[in-house]
Each structure stands twice: as structure tokens, then as C-alpha cells.
Amino acid sequence: MDEYYYEILKKIALSMFRERLLGIFHGSISAKIKENQFLINKKGAIFDSLGKDDFITLFSKKDYRRQDASIDSDIHINIYKNIKEAKFVTYAMPPHLIAYTLEHDFIMPRDYFGVVRFKKIGVYDLKNYDDWYERAPYEICNYMMNENSDVMIIRGYGVFAHARSAEQLAKKVAILENSCKLLSLSKN
């Protein structure tokens, strides 16, 4: 295991967990180590106390290790294979963002940081929950490439994002969550 990437992911995952961007057993975070290799959390990882045993190194070619990895591992590998600037990937479940997507087709931040970073972002409707995990690796990557976007917000599900650094990754998700929280609060 690459110690450098392990330490980065452990630190960022803890910060994201504390901000309620990652759930106790829901969410995923990974780092691209080499062209065909990445480090990702395992199934059942608890993000506030990640140890080395909570991560697994995977390759683009499927093997037996994939069964121990996060359910999102196929999505992460597809993003790494097709989006060259992606060095870190996450699936996060920010509660204000998810709640906001239930009633809106797009997010148009009105706070300074949200406007500067995102302007307006569409909310993707996954439509059928029954086959989502079969479609997700392709639909998420295709959406990001077709929309030339580093984030995909999915109605009632959460957000996938990629970035060149772990800090940028966490910052994107935090800005989106804060913007949705402020939009919701401003309506009351």
C-alpha cells in the first residue's frame, strides 16, 4: 500500500466525515496511484477511524480483490480510465445537498463561494433505483465527460466528484453542501 496516499485519504475522509459529507458506512474515497492502479476504501469502512486495513489497492483489470472494495469501485475505476485529470474521486452523501435535490432540478448557489465555483449545476435523475448500480459506472463517467464537469449531483443519492488533489475534492463537496444548506435556510 502506498503510505503517502493512505495518509492523505485518511486525513480527508476524517474531515469529510466530521462535516457529515461521508456517512458511517456510506460513501467512498479513492486516489489514483498509477495509470492502472488506485487505492479505495473497503466495504464497511467507518470514515472517522480509517486504518490501513480499511483500504485496498485495485487495478483496472478486475480480480478477486474487487469483492472486498467499496461498492463504488467500478465507478471510480471508470472515472480514472476515462478522465485523465482525475487523481482523487469521492462519492459523498451531504444531507442538505441530498434534501435539496429531492425538490429541485438544478442547484444555483447564491452564496459567494458557491457562485464563484459552480454557478448552476443540474441534478441528475437516476429514474430507476432497481438497476442503478449496474448503470452507474457508465452513466456517471459519461455524464462527467459529456457535461465537462468534475461533479455529478444525483437526485436523492448524493454527489460524485473528482479532482487533482484531495483538498480540492473535499472543498468542492463542502461548498456544494454549504450552498444547498444556505439555499434551504433562505427559503424559511
Side-chain angles (χ1 to χ4, degrees):
M1 176 183 303
D2 190 301
E3 189 75 26
Y4 171 76
Y5 288 107
Y6 161 71
E7 289 297 332
I8 289 173
L9 291 179
K10 178 181 169 184
K11 176 183 164 190
I12 292 299
L14 177 58
S15 294
M16 291 176 72
F17 179 84
R18 286 178 175 162
E19 292 298 316
R20 296 181 55 208
L21 305 175
L22 292 172
I24 293 178
F25 292 106
H26 297 293
S28 56
I29 191 164
S30 69
K32 185 177 183 178
I33 298 170
K34 295 180 185 171
E35 192 58 37
N36 67 341
Q37 185 180 14
F38 68 106
L39 185 66
I40 189 168
N41 62 281
K42 288 182 178 178
K43 291 178 188 172
I46 299 176
F47 292 96
D48 71 334
S49 62
L50 292 172
K52 289 183 180 179
D53 290 343
D54 293 309
F55 287 99
I56 190 164
T57 302
L58 297 178
F59 296 86
S60 38
K61 185 178 178 183
K62 279 191 176 187
D63 63 19
Y64 68 94
R65 287 176 289 198
R66 194 73 56 103
Q67 66 192 8
D68 293 332
S70 164
I71 192 170
D72 302 321
S73 62
D74 287 341
I75 299 166
H76 289 243
I77 191 61
N78 223 18
I79 291 170
Y80 290 132
K81 279 178 163 176
N82 294 291
I83 303 173
K84 298 303 176 201
E85 59 271 9
K87 302 298 180 202
F88 294 86
V89 174
T90 192
Y91 160 59
M93 302 173 51
H96 292 97
L97 179 141
I98 292 174
Y100 195 83
T101 66
L102 296 174
E103 301 296 326
H104 298 87
D105 293 329
F106 60 88
I107 297 170
M108 201 156 86
R110 293 180 21 214
D111 62 295
Y112 175 80
F113 294 106
V115 169
V116 168
R117 176 58 182 90
F118 290 105
K119 313 273 187 281
K120 180 179 178 180
I121 310 143
V123 174
Y124 186 82
D125 187 355
L126 59 88
K127 296 176 181 67
N128 183 6
Y129 290 112
D130 294 335
D131 64 352
W132 172 240
Y133 274 101
E134 294 156 23
R135 297 182 290 124
Y138 308 102
E139 287 186 29
I140 291 169
C141 188
N142 286 342
Y143 177 92
M144 288 178 162
M145 291 188 315
N146 293 338
E147 297 294 320
N148 194 27
S149 179
D150 54 5
V151 297
M152 181 181 184
I153 298 170
I154 305 161
R155 184 180 321 279
Y157 185 74
V159 58
F160 270 90
H162 68 79
R164 296 198 59 75
S165 76
E167 292 80 9
Q168 289 173 352
L169 187 70
K171 185 176 179 179
K172 286 176 196 182
V173 177
I175 289 171
L176 284 168
E177 171 68 349
N178 193 54
S179 291
C180 289
K181 181 178 182 179
L182 294 171
L183 286 169
S184 295
L185 289 171
S186 70
K187 298 219 188 262
N188 295 333

